[in-house]
Amino acid sequence: MKAETHPDYHTITVKMTDGTEFQTRSTWGSEGDTLTLDIDPTSHPAWTGGQRQVDQGGRVAQFNKRFGGIKLGGKKG
C-alpha cells in the first residue's frame, strides 16, 4: 500500500444516546476521542417503530383541507 493514499485509522469511543459506550476503529477525530451520538438505533423512529414527524397530520388530509373546496368544471356534451 502507498503510505499517502489511505486514511489514518485509530481507536475512538462511541457513546450512544442511552449512555452505553463501545470502542471501534475509525477515521473520525483523533486517537482516543469520544463520538457522542444524537440519534442511534435505540432512539431513532426507524428502529423503534415510532411515527415519523413528516407524516403526522396526514399529507392527503392537508391537501384536502387546502384544495378540497375547488370544483372543476367539465364539458357537457
Side-chain angles (χ1 to χ4, degrees), residues 5-45:
T5 61
H6 295 282
D8 176 39
Y9 279 90
H10 43 271
T11 303
I12 65 165
T13 302
V14 178
K15 185 174 183 180
M16 307 286 270
T17 58
D18 64 358
T20 59
E21 296 180 354
F22 65 92
Q23 289 190 335
T24 187
R25 292 179 43 84
S26 175
T27 59
W28 180 86
S30 301
E31 179 75 31
D33 283 352
T34 300
L35 174 64
T36 304
L37 301 178
D38 294 331
I39 297 176
D40 63 21
T42 62
S43 65
H44 194 280

Side-chain angles (χ1 to χ4, degrees), residues 63-76:
F63 179 85
N64 287 337
K65 181 179 176 184
R66 187 169 182 185
F67 300 108
I70 295 175
K71 304 277 190 223
L72 298 176
K75 293 183 182 178
K76 292 187 179 185

